[in-house]
Structure formats: C-alpha cells, structure tokens
Amino acid sequence: MDVNEVPQEGNRTLGSHRKALYAKDADGKMVIVPSRGSEVDETVTMQAVERMHAQAEEARSRALAGQTSPLEYWMYARRMDVALLSQVTGIWQWRIRRQFDPQRFERLAESQLSRYAEALGLTSDQLRALP
Amino acid sequence: MNSTVISFQHRHTAHCESGVAANLMTHHGVALSEAMAFGLSSALSFAYLPFIKLTGFPLVAYRMPPSFILKGIAKPLKMRFHFETFRDPGAGTRRLDELLAQGQVVGLQTSVFWLPYFPEDMRFHFNAHNLLVYGKEGDDYLISDPVIDLPQRCASADLQRSRFAKGVLAPKGLLYYPGSIGQTTVTPEAIKKAIKKTVRIMLGPIPIAGVRGMRTLAKRVAKLDTSEYSLNYVGHIVRMQEEIGTGGAGFRFLYAAFLQEAAQITGIGELAKLSERLNEIGDGWREFALKAARMIKGREAFDPVHLAGMIDSQADHETEFFKALKAAIA
C-alpha cells in the first residue's frame, strides 16, 4: 500500500480516533500513516455490532412477551453470548439457559443474581428489569 | 489534588502489544520501533483455530498469541520483564500506584470492553489489550494507549474493572515493567534468528498454522452457504485482518516495515526487495477484504468459492515469499 492509498474515507465506528496503518512513502520507506478508517472496516464492524444489537432487541421482545428473562437481554446488550457469560461468571452454560426461564429467574437467590450483575456491570435491580 | 506524572513520549502505533513494547523500551533508552519489536519477536503468523469460538466464530489470527512480543524481545535485549498478577483487585491498584510513585511507566493487560475511552462500537470482549500508564491525576490514570492517536485518561474504577475482567485470557490484573536491560541495540544475529523462526512458523507442517492454516480456512470458506451466518463468517475474518489493530492487511505491512529495518541492520539487501514483495502480498489481503465487504453490503453476489480462491492464492504467494525469505538469510 502506498501512502496515498491509505483509506481516509472515514469510519464512524472509530469515533474521533484514528488508526495507524503502515504504507510506503515517496522514498519507498514504510511509514506509519494515521487513517480516518475505511468503508471496509466500517462494514465489518457495523455488521458485528448490528448482529449483537439485533440479538439483544430480539431477546427484549421475548422478555416482554414473558418468554425469557431480562438476563438474556442484558447478556446480549453487554455483547456476550452464553459461552462467554459462563466463562465470566463460572456458572455452567446449561444453568444459564435454565435461568433464562422467567419464573426460575424470579426465584433466583440474591447471591446468584449478584454474580450475574457483577459480570455484566449492573446492579441487581438493573438486572431484574429491562431498560 | 494528588498527582504523579512521569515524563513520557506517547507514540501512536498500529498494534497494542508491539506498540507498548516499542514505546516502553524507547522510554528506557533502547530506540526500538514498533516494526522492530514485532519482527524481532517473530510475531507474524497465521492461525485458524476452528475449535476456539469467539461469539460463535472460529479464531482467525494473523499473529502469534498475546504476550509473545513482550517475551520475544526480552532475550535479544538481554533483559527481563517483571510480570505481576493479583488475586485481589484492590492490591493490583495499590501496586500500580506504588510503581507510578517510584517513577515507573507501567504496562497493563486489560479488557477493551471496559475501557470507556474506546469508541463504543469497538468495545468487544477482548481481554488481551495492552496499554501503558504514565501517571495519575486525582482519580484519573494517564494512559498511553498505543493504538489511540492521543494520550487518554481513565477513572480508577474503570481501569480496575478492565484489568480484572474474567473469561478467556483473563488479565488477572497483569502489570509489567522492565528490569535491567543488558543490550541496547539490536544485533544482525538476533534479526536473522527471529526471521528464521517466522519462516518456520509460516511454513510449518500443522494444518491450522501458517500458510497451511490459510489453506484449511480457504476450504472452510468454500463450503459456506449463502446464509446470514456465512456473511457474518467472512465479515469476522476481515475484522480480524483489518479492524483489530494490525496496521493493515493482517500485520503484513508492519512486517514489511520490519524487513526494511532488518535490511539496514544486517546489510542483506535482498531483505529490502522482499519487503516490497510483502507489501504487494498485503495489497492482495486488502483486495480480499474489499471483495468480502462488497459482498456483505450486497453490491456483489455472495460468492464464497471466489473468496476461498483469493485466500488460496494468498497462501500460494506467501509460500513462495517465505521460501525466498529463508534463502535470503541462509
């Protein structure tokens, strides 16, 4: 890549930041060039962000319909999945899935609830409700 | 207000770990560029690990695993890093404050997700992000995060949370700083040794690492159907290649920069030519990314077999390239 080929079309996922890319300058030397980002990066980042957002919104509608607990919504809202939430909390995956059941979730002991809340960066009260 | 500020030169780099290594060593009087830290530690690689899943997608990496760079530069510079982890987050924070008070610039392993200064859309659960702390003002730590263009600040509660994130590659509050440094220049021998190691990694026999890993990935991509999952799958590959602080083209441009420096230090002119060639290979990776992005956006029909062919052809080019690299330093 040459210096003048470094993408500068802007990538909204970068916010006001820039990222450093390496490219060849006029003397043939590889140098660091700050980039405003490219459409390619933006496409794949937004794809991942939107996928997780869609999962969260889908869980929210199911929670509102009484088919799942707010825990599932918050898990996706915090960009996790069951496997990751299990690693972070040390709670078995099958138990997490069981606790998506709204009635089971209601009865959850405070100690268990606070483990989830801590891992998701929430208070127990926040975790009990949908935002 | 309580404050400690250590005079420190922030440099914006492509990748967090090579950036931290280069900036920290430079602070300690060893003029090391990011590219040299990356090449000297033989960090360039390729790996496709289908059994490790990140939010449902296999791990695709264009470099060696985290902390490979810090450990890799230690030997050629005849130095040691002090690495410390903590069971108790409070103890980790107190130790950080203590080292800052002693005038040490401290390296930390953190989770990107819990760092508030990161752009919202870039905050994923990646636990092996490296950054440097060079001071504290009131409750804010002064942070030189090499992948961010300007120095940042981070409140102590946020930083602590990020240092003690759990899950895969959990940092356990890891902090590090260099001990005595026995060698302040990079020798030609060290460079040759590092290049040999990279050639070995790239041309090795395991079907999930090096160019053979690319072949295996190409086969998997060729079998993708046209579902939403498949589009996300190729998007995931491109993210690992372009978005996650690689300097472009999955570290290929960064390694090309290293080869230029290597040519000067070793006096092997062929390495400069090979740098050019790697630059072209990097352009090939960018073409792959562009093609994939166009398919994701629906500007072109999704054609996994075509994308697989592009990865395969990259594997061809890299095979030839690393053979030539091996010959150049023999």
Side-chain angles (χ1 to χ4, degrees), chain B residues 159-212:
Chain B
L159 189 64
Q160 180 167 311
R161 153 127 241 169
S162 170
R163 290 176 65 198
F164 288 89
K166 294 190 182 118
V168 179
L169 298 171
K172 300 191 181 83
L174 178 73
L175 62 76
Y176 49 87
Y177 54 96
S180 69
I181 300 164
Q183 165 98 29
T184 53
T185 51
V186 177
T187 62
E189 289 68 38
I191 288 176
K192 282 194 210 164
K193 212 171 150 191
I195 293 177
K196 264 185 206 147
K197 190 168 172 185
T198 296
V199 170
R200 228 172 27 237
I201 292 165
M202 289 305 299
L203 298 179
I206 309 164
I208 52 171
V211 287
R212 298 198 53 189

Side-chain angles (χ1 to χ4, degrees), chain A residues 1 22 28 39 45 78 118, chain B residues 34 125 161 243 260 279:
Chain A
M1 181 163 65
Y22 280 80
E39 200 189 337
T45 307
R78 287 291 183 264
E118 158 68 21
Chain B
E34 178 189 23
H125 292 277
R161 153 127 241 169
E243 176 210 68
Q260 278 190 340
N279 202 347

Side-chain angles (χ1 to χ4, degrees), chain B residues 293-310:
Chain B
R294 288 181 60 84
M295 290 179 184
I296 292 164
K297 281 227 150 177
R299 292 195 192 133
E300 269 179 52
F302 182 48
D303 183 353
V305 175
H306 182 86
L307 292 176
M310 289 180 96

Side-chain angles (χ1 to χ4, degrees), chain A residues 1 7 13-14 17-22 24 28-30 32 39-41 43-49 51-52 78-81 84 87-88 118-121, chain B residues 12-14 34 55 57 113 117 119-125 148-149 161 166 168 231-232 235 239 242-243 247-248 253-254 260 276 279 283 286 290 297 299:
Chain A
M1 181 163 65
T13 66
L14 278 179
H17 294 296
R18 289 197 250 184
K19 62 186 221 173
L21 295 182
Y22 280 80
K24 196 169 65 176
K29 196 168 181 286
M30 294 298 287
I32 291 184
E39 200 189 337
V40 171
D41 309 350
T43 304
V44 292
T45 307
M46 287 317 291
Q47 184 192 33
V49 168
R51 187 181 70 243
M52 287 183 256
R78 287 291 183 264
R79 297 185 180 165
M80 294 190 189
D81 56 13
L84 186 57
Q87 282 161 7
V88 173
E118 158 68 21
L120 296 165
Chain B
H12 186 201
T13 62
E34 178 189 23
T55 57
F57 301 97
F113 186 80
Y117 62 81
E120 175 64 28
D121 289 334
M122 304 287 278
R123 287 169 64 183
F124 296 101
H125 292 277
I148 308 263
D149 41 0
R161 153 127 241 169
K166 294 190 182 118
V168 179
L231 281 171
N232 277 294
R239 271 181 63 216
E242 295 295 334
E243 176 210 68
F253 295 139
L254 179 53
Q260 278 190 340
E276 285 275 320
N279 202 347
D283 288 337
R286 285 177 53 82
L290 187 65
K297 281 227 150 177
R299 292 195 192 133

